[in-house]
Structures are given as C-alpha cells and as structure tokens.
Amino acid sequence: MSDPIIQLTGIHAAYRHGRQRVTALDGVDLTVEHGEIFGLLGPNGAGKTTLLSILEGLLRPDRGRVTLDGIDVLAAPAEAKRRLGIQLQRSALIDDLTVAELVHLYSSLYEVEMSKAQVDELLARFDLADKVRSFARRLSGGQQQRLALALAVANDPPIVLLDEPTSALDPRARRAMWDIIRRLHTEGRTILLTTHAMEEAEALCSRVAIIDRGQIVACDTPAALIDQIDVRPILKAVIEVPLDRVAPLPGVRAARYTGQHLEVETAEPQVTLAALHQLAAEHGRRVGDVAIRPPNLEDVFLKLTGRSLG
Ligand SMILES: Nc1ncnc2c1ncn2[C@@H]1O[C@H](COP(=O)(O)OP(=O)(O)OP(=O)(O)O)[C@@H](O)[C@H]1O
Ligand SMILES: [Mg+2]
C-alpha cells in the first residue's frame, strides 16, 4: 500500500493571548489515504481550522509531525504547499478585480502560466463562464464560493483543503457545491474538508473524524460510526410535554428537545408513540408531525460528547 497522502502524528498546538495559552489541538493523530473525501466534523472552536492551518504551513505546532504526500511540512513547507489547493474559511477575494484577473493573479502566485483558453475552461468547470468580466464583489455568495474553489485548484493540486465550503449557502447552492467537490474528487484529487453539518459529512465523505475540544474522539466511515454507538431509531414529533414525563415511557432510552421537535431514542417506536399520544392527551395536547428516523452522525456526536453539534 502507498503511504498516506496526509499524515499528522502527535500534534499539539496552542495560541498565545499575551501570557495565556489556548490549547487548540491536544494530541491529534490523523491519516488520510489517496483518493479519499475525508471530513473533519466538529462544533465551533473544535480545532478544525487550526488543523488545516498546520497542513497549510501557516501555523507551527508545538509538537508533532506532519507530512503531505510524504513531504515533511515543517522541514520543507514550500515543497509541501505545491501539493495543496486551499479554500480558506473566509475567502477574502479582492473586490476590485474581475474574475478573470483574479484567476491570473492566483495562477501567477503559483507560478503557473494560464492562457485565456485555460482560464475560460477553468471558469466553465465551476459554472462561472459568464462571469469572466464581472467584479468579484458583484458575485452572489454561492458564486464567490465557487470562484474561491476555482482559484484553489488553478495549480492543479493533488490535495484540496476546504474549510467549511458550504456554510452560509442556501440548500441549492450547497448541492451545487457538493457536485463540484465530487467532481474534484473524480478528477483524482484527495479532499479534506471541514463541516459542522452532519448531513454534509454523510453525503460526501468516505471517512469522517469527529473532533471536539482539540481531540479526535472517533474516526471511521459514517456507517461504521453510526453502527458502533448502539443508538436505536429516533422518534420525532412536535409535542409539548415535560421531558421528565417522557423518560419513563416504555421503550425510551433517551429524550431531548431540538427546536420544537421532541426526539426520543426508542427500542420500540410504536409502543413509545402510543404512550406519547396518551401523555399528550393527559396534558390536553396533540402529537403532531411524527417521523421515525434512523440514527445519524449527530447522534454519534451527542453520544460521544454529551453535547449536540450546534
Ligand atoms: N488566532 C487565534 N488566536 C487565539 N485563539 C484562537 C485563534 N484561532 C483559534 N483560536 C482558538 O483555538 C480553538 C480552535 O479554534 P479553530 O478556529 O481551530 O476551531 P474551528 O473548529 O475551526 O471552529 P469553527 O467551526 O468556529 O470555524 C478555539 O478555542 C479558538 O478560540
Ligand atoms: Mg474554523
């Protein structure tokens, strides 16, 4: 088997605020193989961007080893960087340049000469063909995200790092972005992306590492992660009753409110549902909007950390 394309071993990293140190990564080991779409899933402040910054050579860890395609990032940062396409969490596009000017600027930074035909071809792949002469500031949020991704792959890198590529996108733009990410993957690239959205991790990723408070708490395929945690189906319903009355109902293993929905993990959904109807009636309420869903990565996170992804 070939070496992993991305490898982090024993990584510790901290930020300094005057005399204070904030630990951001606390003993992280991570391996990504050639050709994976790998997801780093975790809540705000978990350490996702910090991990990417280390791979990008922007932040030096206090301890640990990092390699990209077998190259030691700390010893040979310039050579490692040539393997990477990077989309930052907040892409600062230069407002007053046109789309075509930005592509030329980026490709020259990578020391790649691009002809007009190549620029057109690149933008067409990202569905921006008609925006060549538009100013970056005139693009919609989704178009700006696609442009940031086009710029990230202008140097044809084998590894692409995407920091929350779809946050702040509406569902349609998000799906368009998923298609583009899949295409980058089909072209033979390895993708490492971060997200807080468990449905994104499930939809795109061959493997997922769940990261919380600077530590990787689980790493596997989404299906295996869900299997391992031994969560039963989740009964969802709109109902207003006290949680401490739900917990003792037959079949119930756990119960919580998420927004206006009650979510009940139950070994016997039908029995629990009947009991919920009765409980609602006692409170002069009705049960609405009932659904039973299989366990998902959100449940995995909840089980492992006792908190929701947020
Ligand atoms: N430049 C910085 N200076 C000081 N502390 C920082 C800095 N960047 C991040 N941190 C802290 O390091 C920890 C990890 O932050 P990081 O940005 O890696 O999280 P994240 O998982 O990317 O979160 P988000 O989902 O909000 O982007 C947090 O406690 C954060 O407050
Ligand atoms: Mg981040």
Side-chain angles (χ1 to χ4, degrees):
M1 223 173 89
S2 60
D3 288 338
I5 193 158
I6 300 175
Q7 190 157 37
L8 298 116
T9 319
I11 296 292
H12 287 262
Y15 295 98
R16 276 155 201 86
H17 281 288
R19 293 199 175 166
Q20 260 195 332
R21 279 165 55 89
V22 180
T23 299
L25 293 176
D26 186 12
V28 165
D29 296 313
L30 187 73
T31 297
V32 178
E33 304 295 340
H34 281 265
E36 285 198 273
I37 302 186
F38 191 98
L40 270 180
L41 180 67
N44 289 126
K48 303 182 295 298
T49 299
T50 303
L51 195 152
L52 294 191
S53 306
I54 290 171
L55 292 173
E56 289 152 5
L58 298 173
L59 179 72
R60 233 187 138 75
D62 299 318
R63 267 187 281 151
R65 224 178 105 72
V66 200
T67 61
L68 286 176
D69 211 3
I71 301 158
D72 185 329
V73 174
L74 303 175
E79 200 190 341
K81 223 168 277 179
R82 275 197 282 279
R83 305 292 191 283
L84 284 183
I86 298 169
Q87 185 196 20
L88 299 176
Q89 185 163 3
R90 275 167 281 278
S91 304
L93 298 170
I94 302 169
D95 280 351
D96 287 330
L97 294 185
T98 67
V99 168
E101 286 166 343
L102 276 166
V103 174
H104 281 299
L105 173 66
Y106 267 68
S107 55
S108 70
L109 293 177
Y110 292 127
E111 296 171 3
V112 184
E113 274 296 321
M114 288 180 87
S115 65
K116 183 179 175 308
Q118 284 171 316
V119 172
D120 288 347
E121 190 268 336
L122 176 71
L123 292 172
R125 274 164 57 211
F126 289 85
D127 204 10
L128 292 167
D130 54 340
K131 299 291 172 192
V132 176
R133 267 170 288 277
S134 304
F135 287 104
R137 69 181 126 86
R138 298 243 186 267
L139 301 180
S140 73
Q143 289 162 347
Q144 289 194 8
Q145 291 281 71
R146 295 208 300 278
L147 175 58
L149 209 47
L151 297 173
V153 300
N155 63 334
D156 197 20
I159 309 168
V160 181
L161 307 181
L162 306 173
D163 202 354
E164 298 191 23
T166 66
S167 60
L169 295 187
D170 66 37
R172 224 194 59 178
R174 169 177 276 205
R175 273 170 207 284
M177 187 56 85
W178 287 1
D179 286 342
I180 288 175
I181 294 170
R182 289 196 186 98
R183 200 176 335 134
L184 293 175
H185 175 244
T186 332
E187 290 167 3
R189 298 178 218 278
T190 303
I191 313 239
L192 174 59
L193 61 88
T194 75
T195 181
H196 327 136
M198 60 87 197
E199 70 279 8
E200 178 157 290
E202 283 187 29
L204 285 178
C205 299
S206 50
R207 286 194 306 143
V208 171
I210 296 185
I211 180 165
D212 184 41
R213 297 179 178 169
Q215 297 188 324
I216 290 179
V217 294
C219 178
D220 213 324
T221 64
L225 287 170
I226 292 165
D227 262 9
Q228 280 156 21
I229 54 152
D230 182 33
V231 166
R232 299 302 162 97
I234 310 292
L235 175 64
K236 284 182 73 170
V238 176
I239 172 176
E240 281 176 55
V241 289
L243 269 186
D244 60 356
R245 296 292 309 277
V246 176
L249 296 181
V252 173
R253 290 174 137 212
R256 63 190 151 117
Y257 277 101
T258 54
Q260 56 165 355
H261 279 90
L262 175 70
E263 291 205 345
V264 182
E265 182 194 343
T266 168
E268 297 170 278
Q270 297 308 331
V271 178
T272 303
L273 182 58
L276 269 182
H277 276 291
Q278 201 174 347
L279 180 64
E282 284 168 24
H283 286 78
R285 310 266 180 186
R286 288 165 163 277
V287 182
D289 208 7
V290 175
I292 296 173
R293 67 161 175 83
N296 60 31
L297 285 176
E298 174 85 39
D299 302 309
V300 175
F301 188 82
L302 192 69
K303 203 81 160 192
L304 291 174
T305 68
R307 285 170 295 116
S308 72
L309 270 167

